[in-house]
Amino acid sequence: MSRRLASLALAAAMMAGACAPQYQATEYALAQPEGAYRLASGDKLRIIVFGQDNLSNIYAVDGSGKISMPLVNTIMAQGRTTQQLARDIEAKLRGGYLREPKVSVEVDTYRPFFVLGEVTNSGQFPFVSGMTVQTAVAIAGGFTPRGQRNSAEVTRQIDGQTVTASVPITYPVQPGDTIVIKERWF
């Protein structure tokens, strides 16, 4: 009888161990952002062309990753930093429109992030700099009673590829991320 009880206890311990989140550094290190912020669809940019008030405005990065502005027409913003985009706009304006254009580009509004699964209010939310998965869940109204409280799945675009990783709730969130809070079993 004690042998049977010991085997049941061992099976229960193995099942509990299988349910516990297992993190390996390489598992979620792939999703870590590197370097300067890269622009993508959904970002809104404040572009200032010094001395040219009619060109200075807020421009949205469209679904194809481009912005459209007077004299420049369309220009690719997707995957570029704000400094790279400013140089590209200066080059286009220098090509026949302005003698020495000075352009400043900054992100006015970051693209939203998304929270799904076991949270009170799933949906799309505005990004706030310095967020973690835990603060994103708080913005979504908190965990449901069944929500797994120590890990989440984060899906992110990295170099044009979609990467999904299991991460701890202290993991940093980036604009455009999709966070899924799974159901816990115990």
Side-chain angles (χ1 to χ4, degrees):
M1 177 85 100
S2 67
R3 180 180 246 182
R4 186 174 183 199
L5 188 57
S7 63
L8 282 174
L10 178 62
M14 289 174 57
M15 287 175 45
C19 293
Q22 303 294 318
Y23 301 113
Q24 296 176 356
T26 57
E27 185 175 19
Y28 59 89
L30 292 175
Q32 287 282 9
E34 292 183 17
Y37 178 72
R38 301 288 176 170
L39 301 171
S41 298
D43 287 332
K44 291 186 181 171
L45 308 174
R46 180 181 312 278
I47 299 176
I48 299 170
V49 181
F50 296 99
Q52 301 294 321
D53 292 339
N54 55 344
L55 295 177
S56 300
N57 206 344
I58 294 176
Y59 298 93
V61 180
D62 67 17
S64 64
K66 298 177 181 178
I67 61 166
S68 179
M69 62 184 291
L71 302 180
V72 175
N73 292 325
T74 60
I75 189 166
M76 182 56 74
Q78 177 100 17
R80 307 189 71 76
T81 66
T82 54
Q83 293 83 10
Q84 290 170 333
L85 183 59
R87 285 194 305 265
D88 291 349
I89 294 170
E90 286 174 351
K92 283 209 172 197
L93 290 173
R94 196 176 294 114
Y97 298 107
L98 300 175
R99 192 174 297 202
E100 286 297 321
K102 298 288 186 223
V103 177
S104 170
V105 177
E106 62 184 44
V107 179
D108 184 65
T109 307
Y110 291 98
R111 60 192 177 274
F113 68 94
F114 305 87
V115 183
L116 305 170
E118 295 296 326
V119 293
T120 304
N121 301 309
S122 294
Q124 167 182 312
F125 302 94
F127 178 78
V128 178
S129 188
M131 290 180 58
T132 64
V133 170
Q134 189 171 29
T135 55
V137 169
I139 290 171
F143 296 102
T144 65
R146 292 184 315 264
Q148 191 171 10
R149 297 170 191 269
N150 55 0
S151 67
E153 279 187 2
V154 174
T155 302
R156 175 178 297 165
Q157 290 286 91
I158 299 177
D159 297 328
Q161 294 187 350
T162 303
V163 177
T164 300
S166 180
V167 299
I169 61 169
T170 56
Y171 190 74
V173 174
Q174 292 294 309
D177 281 357
T178 300
I179 301 163
V180 179
I181 302 299
K182 298 287 188 177
E183 182 178 5
R184 65 185 166 136
W185 296 99
F186 298 101

